[in-house]
Structures are given as C-alpha cells and as structure tokens.
Amino acid sequence: MSLAAIAAEQSRPGVPLWVKIAFSAFMAVLVPVYVYWYGPTNFLYFCDVSLILTLIGIWTESALLISMCGVGLLLPQAFWVLDFVARFSGYSLVGMTDYMFVSEHSFFLRFLSGFHGWLPLLLVFLIWRLGYDPRALFRWSALAWVLLLVCYFFMPSPTPNPGMTPVNIIFGPSDTAPQAFVPPVVWLAGLMIGLPLLAFVPTHFILMRLAPRAATVERGRYAGRV
C-alpha cells in the first residue's frame, strides 16, 4: 500500500484506534471500581448506561448507538457541567454535582466521575465522525422509559444517610429525601413525558440540523474502499 493510500485510509471518517484504546482502558478501570463501591445498580443511571453503549459503539462504529447516547446525554450533561462550574465557584444551581465536593468520598472515585464533563465532548466528536442516525430519538426514549420504570419499581428511595448506595432518582433529585411536591407516580409520569420533550427532542433536531447524517458518512466510507 502506498503512502497516499495509507493517508487516505486514515483520513476517512471512523473512530481512531487511539480513541478506542483510551476509552476501553478507562472503562476497564471504571466498571470494576463502580461495581465494588456503588454496586451494579449504579449502571441503571442514564450516564452509566451511555458509557457501556459508547464502548460498544466505538468498536462496532455504530452510528446508532453513539447517536442514542448523544440524544440522551448532551443536554443533561451540559447542565452537569454548569452545575459543577457553579459549585466550584461557590454557588449551587440544582445540587446535582454536590457529591463531587464531598471530601469524605474518595478523590479517585470523584476523579472517575469527571467523565460527566468530557463524555459529551467525546460524543460530539464521534457523531461528527460516524454521522447522526435519526432513529436514535425513538430508541433512546424507549430505553429511557424502561430504565425509569425499573428504577421506580426496584431501586431504593432516598434516605437521610444513603452512603454509597445508588438511590431512586424517580422520587426526586435529592439522595437524602424524596420530593414532596407531587405523588411519586406523577413525578414519574413527568419524567417520562418531560425528558423526551425538553431534552431528547431538542437535541435530536439540533443534531439533525448540524451533524452529518450517518447514511451519508457510511456511503463516503464505502466509496473510499472501492
């Protein structure tokens, strides 16, 4: 193979090998550490499910899996970053990143949780490499509903001292006390309706407008091989 052919091969859209290796190495550390400290139910959270889908997606170069993670995470994780920056500056927006500043928690665990800040950037990069698959909106929304229902029926409710055990976010944003504004089933219905309308659908249309389509990228990759 000539140097020109090698350069053309490397310039085609796809996931660079170094990204696959680096992310896999991170997951090889995070998964056993999280299972040990938090338990397997921690992987019912959207962000942790997205980590697993992203790992599969980068190796299979699946635009659909990566797009699903983008639809589900880009907007919520943007709020995570804003809340973290505000908390770091001495303010609190919604308290979703307060755990990152609890000195009793291991610094290493908090360091691993920093993926909330860089995962959205990685997903944007991957979507631009693989293209956006419009089927992601329905697929992620369906997965989110399943996760919400599983959490509602099987995860423990917030307690004053939850420790390291993941608690049921269906009962409110706090780990220590359930919300008292509406009945739990109303809160659940609000999440199942509100998350798609306020987070997933807007992200979908933004990606539809700005990102390359997966089919177009795939045709370009195929044309480069023939």
Side-chain angles (χ1 to χ4, degrees):
M1 182 180 290
S2 67
L3 292 176
I6 294 175
E9 179 71 23
Q10 293 178 340
S11 65
R12 288 178 195 146
V15 183
L17 181 60
W18 70 267
V19 174
K20 296 178 179 180
I21 294 174
F23 190 78
S24 299
F26 172 77
M27 289 294 289
V29 174
L30 179 138
V31 170
V33 170
Y34 269 29
V35 169
Y36 178 80
W37 285 103
Y38 300 126
T41 57
N42 192 77
F43 289 92
L44 292 172
Y45 290 140
F46 290 173
C47 51
D48 297 293
V49 169
S50 293
L51 285 174
I52 297 174
L53 293 181
T54 300
L55 179 62
I56 299 171
I58 62 173
W59 283 104
T60 60
E61 302 203 351
S62 169
L64 176 58
L65 290 179
I66 299 300
S67 299
M68 287 171 59
C69 298
V71 164
L73 281 199
L74 288 181
L75 190 57
Q77 294 301 274
F79 279 106
W80 189 97
V81 172
L82 289 175
D83 191 77
F84 180 85
V85 172
R87 185 67 174 79
F88 185 80
S89 302
Y91 303 94
S92 181
L93 296 180
V94 294
M96 65 188 303
T97 61
D98 286 353
Y99 69 96
M100 293 290 287
F101 299 89
V102 177
S103 58
E104 288 78 9
H105 292 177
S106 164
F107 175 79
F108 182 60
L109 286 176
R110 288 180 285 159
F111 173 79
L112 289 177
S113 293
F115 78 83
H116 294 87
W118 55 259
L119 182 59
L121 300 177
L122 174 63
L123 290 174
V124 169
F125 169 77
L126 294 173
I127 289 172
W128 253 257
R129 297 285 295 191
L130 300 175
Y132 177 67
D133 190 325
R135 297 175 296 170
L137 174 61
F138 176 77
R139 301 290 181 89
W140 177 265
S141 296
L143 176 59
W145 288 340
V146 170
L147 292 172
L148 288 171
L149 290 172
V150 169
C151 288
Y152 180 79
F153 287 108
F154 298 107
M155 289 282 281
S157 61
T159 60
N161 297 294
M164 304 292 282
T165 303
V167 298
N168 196 337
I169 59 172
I170 303 305
F171 290 99
S174 173
D175 289 344
T176 58
Q179 60 82 28
F181 298 105
V182 295
V185 68
V186 175
W187 185 270
L188 171 64
L191 288 176
M192 296 184 72
I193 297 171
L195 283 174
L197 289 180
L198 300 178
F200 308 158
V201 170
T203 304
H204 167 77
F205 282 111
I206 290 173
L207 291 174
M208 285 282 289
R209 182 175 181 83
L210 299 180
R213 293 292 183 88
T216 303
V217 172
E218 183 60 30
R219 283 197 297 269
R221 295 169 65 189
Y222 177 78
R225 290 196 293 266
V226 298

